[in-house]
Amino acid sequence: MGRKPRFGDDDFLDAALRVAARAGASGVTMAAVAAEAAAPVGSVYHRFASRDVLLARLWVRTVHRFQEPFLAALADPDPERGADRAIRAVLGWAREHPDQARVLLLHRREDLVAHWPTELGPDPAGINDAVREALRAYTRARFGRVSSAGLERVTFALVDVPYAALRRHLGAGRTPPRSIEAAALAASRAALGD
């Protein structure tokens, strides 16, 4: 009977997240992750064959964690309430998970992973497909049809507005304050106005 591992995948992913949030993607080395997790470097390599594998898994996990509350909020059958819930979901998630939000906001997949590791399967080019489809469905629910102009308004209101509200704070290493919520909601509602 083997011993229970002292460190799991999430321990190292969480350590890599903290390093990336503090030092940027270039600061995420296997040694830095091991030091952050207070683990031997060999334990990191035992779970992740390379830095690219570690960063790719971190990025995918973070994207999914972010998308879940946004998609749930946007699925509200009442379009006005759904938009407000989606804005609150994004801002609330960023307040609760500032390191994850900072990694998503300030780093593209290409910044973190230069070459997608083959052991993780195909490059997740479609990782945002569910969000794109949810924005299309919301556009249809809000305006009765999907037009390029309607989709542009929805994307501005539900993606660009919260991004703008968060960027300055997260980029400066600060947790976004609750006070930005009212302004983000007002801007989103104005963009979606009839």
Side-chain angles (χ1 to χ4, degrees):
M1 181 175 191
R3 290 185 322 184
K4 183 180 178 205
R6 245 181 92 198
F7 301 98
D9 288 3
D10 280 334
D11 294 316
F12 294 123
L13 291 173
D14 292 341
L17 172 69
R18 291 188 299 272
V19 173
R22 185 175 60 244
S26 62
V28 180
T29 64
M30 299 302 246
V33 170
E36 182 72 24
V41 174
S43 295
V44 181
Y45 278 106
H46 177 72
R47 299 234 174 234
F48 303 94
S50 70
R51 176 183 180 274
D52 276 350
V53 170
L54 174 70
L55 286 171
R57 295 235 347 249
L58 171 63
W59 184 79
V60 168
R61 182 186 79 166
T62 306
V63 168
H64 287 303
R65 286 180 173 181
F66 165 75
Q67 288 178 349
E68 188 177 306
F70 177 77
L71 292 171
L74 202 54
D76 191 302
D78 178 275
E80 289 182 18
R81 187 174 58 220
D84 283 359
R85 286 184 59 211
I87 295 292
R88 286 186 176 109
V90 169
L91 300 180
W93 186 86
R95 275 193 306 273
E96 292 171 28
H97 310 284
D99 287 347
Q100 291 180 67
R102 194 169 293 111
V103 165
L104 281 185
L105 189 71
L106 303 177
H107 303 288
R108 300 171 306 142
R109 181 197 61 81
E110 296 82 11
D111 297 334
L112 296 173
V113 183
H115 303 286
W116 193 255
T118 56
E119 56 264 49
L120 296 181
D123 189 327
I127 198 164
N128 289 317
D129 287 352
V131 171
R132 280 190 275 282
E133 186 49 43
L135 292 170
R136 289 180 65 78
Y138 180 86
T139 302
R140 188 175 299 107
R142 180 82 185 210
F143 301 116
R145 67 186 183 98
V146 178
S147 68
S148 58
L151 190 56
E152 181 63 30
R153 281 173 68 185
V154 166
T155 302
F156 178 81
L158 302 180
V159 176
D160 297 341
V161 166
Y163 177 86
L166 294 170
R167 184 162 180 76
R168 179 169 47 95
H169 300 286
L170 293 171
R174 297 187 307 263
T175 298
R178 289 190 182 279
S179 60
I180 64 173
E181 188 172 292
L185 285 168
S188 175
R189 289 171 185 155
L192 291 171
D194 297 327

